[in-house]
Amino acid sequence: GQQVMQIPQYQHVQEGEDFTTYCNSSTTLSNIQWYKQRPGGHPVFLIQLVKSGEVKKQKRLTFQFGEAKKNSSLHITATQTTDVGTYFCAGPLSGGYNTLIFGAGTRLAVHP
Amino acid sequence: DAGVIQSPRHEVTEMGQEVTLRCKPISGHNSLFWYRQTMMRGLELLIYFNNNVPIDDSGMPEDRFSAKMPNASFSTLKIQPSEPRDSAVYFCASSALNRDREAFFGPGTRLTVL
């Protein structure tokens, strides 16, 4: 079945270091969404990418959508302790359904 | 808007008991989803409603799980009888009907089955 895979599962960084998480889909996606879940919280929408090769920035966060629309990445420059959490990518379930299939997430730990 | 509302926030029950989780989606959203999150399996989609109609329940683990959406502003997820392996955080999320809209998650219900 349709799958969305994320790597790494877990990453430790020192505050100030950069961080990247990668997302790969088994199918071409019409869009990809990124969510952040703080410890003990719920997933919160960050951004949506729609166009092939699209790059979007939110302050220190840079999101990319691959040319083939099957992969994506999230890069955080100079991490801060407030970046701690799990980052999920999600794509629409194929078949015309208005629902999302989530990757397993990358848990980011930032040490001061 | 208060966002997606879920109750209870925490539930501790004994094996064999019936558990009912409740969700109120964001007003105007036509799609509602139930997800389960565990360390081992991550975020799993259990069931999805469109305009109150269940569209895809292939993620519902077994017959012990059932979900209803009697109207546009309320949904329930019921587990009967509950088992320890059902312990997880259950999220309800809603979104607008059109494709490619983001999902808004509720705060979740943390279920512990002893």
Side-chain angles (χ1 to χ4, degrees):
Chain A
Q2 184 181 359
Q3 287 186 315
V4 174
M5 295 148 286
Q6 263 186 275
I7 56 170
Q9 276 190 304
Y10 186 63
Q11 183 139 18
H12 263 254
V13 298
Q14 288 296 126
E15 191 172 19
E17 291 182 340
D18 292 356
F19 159 77
T20 304
T21 173
Y22 300 91
C23 181
N24 286 286
S25 170
S26 58
T27 61
T28 301
L29 300 171
S30 60
N31 72 83
I32 192 136
Q33 300 179 13
W34 285 90
Y35 292 76
K36 177 182 178 182
Q37 184 177 21
R38 294 183 187 274
H42 58 277
V44 175
F45 174 79
L46 291 177
I47 206 163
Q48 177 176 268
L49 304 171
V50 178
K51 299 177 185 175
S52 169
E54 188 170 12
V55 177
K56 285 188 177 180
K57 292 192 174 185
Q58 287 180 351
K59 298 182 181 178
R60 294 177 294 103
L61 278 60
T62 301
F63 303 85
Q64 290 189 315
F65 200 11
E67 294 290 340
K69 301 184 78 173
K70 294 183 72 173
N71 60 287
S72 181
S73 65
L74 158 58
H75 179 82
I76 303 178
T77 303
T79 54
Q80 300 175 358
T81 54
T82 53
D83 296 325
V84 164
T86 301
Y87 293 85
F88 294 94
C89 62
L93 195 61
S94 54
Y97 295 129
N98 181 35
T99 189
L100 295 169
I101 181 168
F102 281 80
T106 296
R107 191 187 305 177
L108 173 63
V110 180
H111 297 285
Chain B
D1 198 325
V4 176
I5 299 172
Q6 288 187 249
S7 65
R9 295 292 307 276
H10 301 272
E11 176 83 22
V12 180
T13 190
E14 291 188 344
M15 183 174 63
Q17 296 298 306
E18 177 179 295
V19 174
T20 299
L21 312 181
R22 297 173 176 80
C23 175
K24 177 177 166 52
I26 292 173
S27 176
H29 282 186
N30 312 84
S31 298
L32 183 139
F33 317 93
W34 283 100
Y35 287 90
R36 177 172 68 176
Q37 187 175 41
T38 60
M39 288 295 293
M40 291 296 294
R41 301 174 71 92
L43 261 175
E44 300 174 275
L45 177 66
L46 300 177
I47 189 169
Y48 153 53
F49 292 87
N50 232 19
N51 290 324
N52 314 339
V53 176
I55 301 299
D56 184 359
D57 65 353
S58 59
M60 296 284 262
E62 38 195 282
D63 293 345
R64 298 184 297 106
F65 285 69
S66 62
K68 293 182 179 179
M69 192 164 185
N71 57 62
S73 58
F74 184 65
S75 177
T76 59
L77 177 68
K78 188 175 291 187
I79 309 173
Q80 166 63 19
S82 57
E83 296 182 3
R85 61 191 167 124
D86 302 330
S87 298
V89 179
Y90 290 81
F91 289 106
C92 174
S94 70
S95 72
L97 180 60
N98 297 329
R99 272 182 66 81
D100 306 338
R101 295 296 183 95
E102 68 267 31
F104 293 81
F105 283 77
T109 295
R110 182 173 295 277
L111 173 65
T112 303
V113 183
L114 303 173

